[in-house]
Amino acid sequence: MADVFDCSDPDARAAGLDAAAAALSRGDLVLLPTDTVYGVAADAFSPAAVMSLLAAKNRGRTMPVPVLIGEASTLAGLVLRTPEVALRLAESFWPGGLTLVLEHAPSLAWDLGDAEGTVAVRLPDDPVARDLLRRTGPLAVSSANRSGRPAATTAEAAVAQLGAQAAVVLDGGPRQGSAPSTIVDCTGPTPRVLRIGAVSVDELREVVPDLTD
């Protein structure tokens, strides 16, 4: 089973972040809090680690893994271009529960699943997650649950589902809601909602009126 670190304790949090960063660098999986639900993380640039994540969730390559970043400025290095509409959405809802789908930079050596040249990116509004991301760089992160089961809103629930597959668990306390992030595809001429979650369509339309859902 994974080593669990209580991030409400400063010393345990520091030790947990060190352990999580080391585990990810070895290709292991880490369970961590985000601002929406608990996630399972892998090194985004290790195809073997990403495949381990998909296998742990019992999820196929047809559902590519999103990427979390620790700073908005990291986005420019991951994508081919950032359309103006994506910039407006990021400025309005990052950090927060909005995932943007963009064309990824062709030079990146990663395999997140059958993403057909795109990547789904989010900047989470959680201090533990962002501290880890600042240490590791972009991470492939999906909700910490087996495919088809409810998302985990506590570290205990995440461990119950995926603890046997992870090396480290960062316990950031319970999450306030169970809604995943909202996903918006910004690769076409008009932004399109792929999944409704933490950010409502009405909120999105205040920033991008021509959004389709």
Side-chain angles (χ1 to χ4, degrees):
M1 290 293 286
D3 294 324
V4 180
F5 295 86
D6 178 2
C7 293
S8 66
D9 175 82
D11 292 337
R13 172 176 167 155
L17 288 169
D18 286 343
L24 290 161
S25 71
R26 296 192 302 267
D28 291 335
L29 302 182
V30 168
L31 304 181
L32 78 166
T34 78
D35 49 333
T36 54
V37 296
Y38 271 78
V40 54
D43 179 354
F45 297 99
S46 168
V50 174
M51 291 305 106
S52 294
L53 186 159
L54 290 172
K57 285 178 60 73
N58 194 27
R59 177 168 161 175
R61 288 178 52 85
T62 56
M63 299 178 69
V65 185
V67 170
L68 295 189
I69 56 177
E71 301 291 346
S73 57
T74 304
L75 178 65
L78 302 181
V79 300
L80 187 62
R81 63 185 185 89
T82 309
E84 194 252 340
V85 66
L87 288 173
R88 296 208 311 268
L89 289 168
E91 288 168 359
S92 298
F93 299 107
W94 279 5
L98 177 66
T99 298
L100 300 176
V101 177
L102 298 159
E103 296 177 76
H104 77 70
S107 59
L108 293 179
W110 62 11
D111 181 1
L112 302 169
D114 296 334
E116 299 180 349
T118 67
V119 61
V121 184
R122 187 165 83 86
L123 174 63
D125 189 12
D126 181 86
V128 173
R130 290 187 68 183
D131 279 354
L132 180 60
L133 288 158
R134 291 184 184 110
R135 294 181 182 218
T136 62
L139 293 174
V141 181
S142 184
S143 56
N145 59 284
R146 300 278 288 177
S147 186
R149 295 185 62 186
T153 57
T154 64
E156 292 80 8
V159 168
Q161 296 197 56
L162 297 180
Q165 286 78 35
V168 173
V169 180
L170 300 177
D171 186 349
R175 304 295 90 184
Q176 297 306 308
S178 59
S181 67
T182 296
I183 302 176
V184 177
D185 184 350
C186 296
T187 62
T190 303
R192 181 167 59 98
V193 177
L194 301 182
R195 181 178 73 189
I196 298 172
V199 180
S200 71
V201 172
D202 287 343
E203 289 175 296
L204 294 170
R205 285 212 169 103
E206 289 180 8
V207 179
V208 185
D210 61 345
L211 184 85
T212 61
D213 58 358

